[in-house]
Amino acid sequence: MSLPRPVRGVVFDMDGLLVDSESMFRDVMMEVSLRRGVDLPLAVFLRMVGLQHEASRAVAMAHFGDDFDYDPWIADIWALAVARGEVGIAVKAGVTELLDHLDLAAIPRAVATSSSHASVERQLGRNGLLPRFQAIVAAGDYARGKPDPDPFLVAADRLGVPATACLALEDSHNGVRAAHAAGMMTIMVPDLLEATEEMRGLCVAIADTLHGVRDLLSVQEGTAAKTKPERPYSV
């Protein structure tokens, strides 16, 4: 298959797409909940994936109830998550190869994440990925978080590329909804969440890994080169 339009910019989610942090955060949240004697079903955690802090808080409170002491619970979770992150979080398959390909194609890229700038610094900085992006859009840089389109619209603006000419790469349902609402060509690379029929309807493709995204871009660029009109003769 091919993409519907030429790609002039690429916008990446971070957690679960560039780095394997979603599974770590899932394990930490389950561990802290068990330690505190509260039940956190996996389905509740999955509803939080891709959401900004306040939206995640609302999901937790809806599950635990109005009397739940949220602040010490989430503080314990963040403390343990930061400690686990210090050990190192793996980069997802195909990240380096895709970024190398975008370098060669001179296609700019941004990160659009629900996480904080401090989290971006920890996760991408430690892995040497931070300098490979021309723009970082994190919590605090936009009015409304995913599934609203604001993070992706801000990212496109900072790249100086129309949103419709951007390819968005996401692993979460809320992220896919946000990217599609921004008008971007969207590819889902599933991590903890499966590609549902809704996701397939919103995406131009579903890729198993970022290797598949690189292969799709290679096909697109090869097709564009073949169909480029010859320069007319000058006299």
Side-chain angles (χ1 to χ4, degrees), residues 92-98 189 207-218:
K92 298 285 283 186
V95 170
T96 301
E97 292 85 351
L98 177 55
V189 186
D208 290 336
T209 69
L210 291 175
H211 288 300
V213 177
R214 181 200 58 191
D215 293 343
L216 182 57
L217 284 170
S218 297

Side-chain angles (χ1 to χ4, degrees), residues 55-73:
S56 292
R57 180 187 182 116
V59 172
M61 294 304 294
H63 169 69
F64 291 124
D66 294 338
D67 295 334
F68 180 64
D69 199 1
Y70 176 86
D71 289 338
W73 174 75

Side-chain angles (χ1 to χ4, degrees), residues 1-4 7 10-13 17 98 152 166-172 175-176 179-180 184-190 199 202-210 212-217:
M1 67 162 293
S2 61
L3 298 171
V7 174
V10 180
V11 183
F12 292 74
D13 177 47
L17 182 88
L98 177 55
F152 288 98
C166 288
L167 177 66
L169 305 177
E170 267 287 356
D171 68 291
S172 76
V176 167
H180 178 79
M184 294 188 179
M185 298 171 279
T186 306
I187 296 178
M188 183 178 182
V189 186
M199 296 299 107
L202 297 178
C203 292
V204 296
I206 307 295
D208 290 336
T209 69
L210 291 175
V213 177
R214 181 200 58 191
D215 293 343
L216 182 57
L217 284 170

Side-chain angles (χ1 to χ4, degrees), residues 17-228:
L17 182 88
L18 290 171
V19 291
D20 195 19
S21 50
E22 293 286 19
S23 58
M24 180 273 287
F25 204 74
R26 173 201 61 202
D27 295 345
V28 165
M29 193 171 279
M30 297 295 182
E31 184 176 330
V32 170
S33 297
L34 183 63
R35 186 189 306 160
R36 285 181 162 268
V38 296
D39 178 44
L40 179 70
L42 178 60
V44 175
F45 168 78
L46 292 176
R47 288 203 292 274
M48 301 180 192
V49 173
L51 295 178
Q52 217 173 346
H53 175 70
E54 287 305 315
S56 292
R57 180 187 182 116
V59 172
M61 294 304 294
H63 169 69
F64 291 124
D66 294 338
D67 295 334
F68 180 64
D69 199 1
Y70 176 86
D71 289 338
W73 174 75
I74 198 65
D76 282 357
I77 288 169
W78 279 114
L80 184 55
V82 169
R84 296 274 170 88
E86 291 295 330
V87 178
I89 298 175
V91 174
K92 298 285 283 186
V95 170
T96 301
E97 292 85 351
L98 177 55
L99 292 174
D100 289 345
H101 179 90
L102 295 175
D103 278 340
L104 291 173
I107 297 175
R109 55 268 184 188
V111 171
T113 177
S114 298
S115 293
S116 66
H117 276 281
S119 181
V120 174
E121 290 282 347
R122 284 195 303 270
Q123 298 192 47
L124 299 188
R126 185 173 285 110
N127 286 307
L129 296 177
L130 203 55
R132 307 204 66 178
F133 296 91
Q134 284 70 49
I136 302 294
V137 178
D141 292 335
Y142 41 78
R144 301 171 300 169
K146 304 171 187 180
D148 286 300
D150 299 27
F152 288 98
L153 294 174
V154 172
D157 183 66
R158 291 187 181 178
L159 289 178
V161 177
T164 54
C166 288
L167 177 66
L169 305 177
E170 267 287 356
D171 68 291
S172 76
H173 295 171
N174 288 311
V176 167
R177 292 174 185 126
H180 178 79
M184 294 188 179
M185 298 171 279
T186 306
I187 296 178
M188 183 178 182
V189 186
D191 181 39
L192 300 183
L193 294 167
E194 295 181 359
T196 63
E197 286 305 309
E198 178 199 0
M199 296 299 107
R200 293 180 185 279
L202 297 178
C203 292
V204 296
I206 307 295
D208 290 336
T209 69
L210 291 175
H211 288 300
V213 177
R214 181 200 58 191
D215 293 343
L216 182 57
L217 284 170
S218 297
V219 170
Q220 184 80 2
E221 290 154 12
T223 301
K226 290 178 183 178
T227 57
K228 185 176 181 179

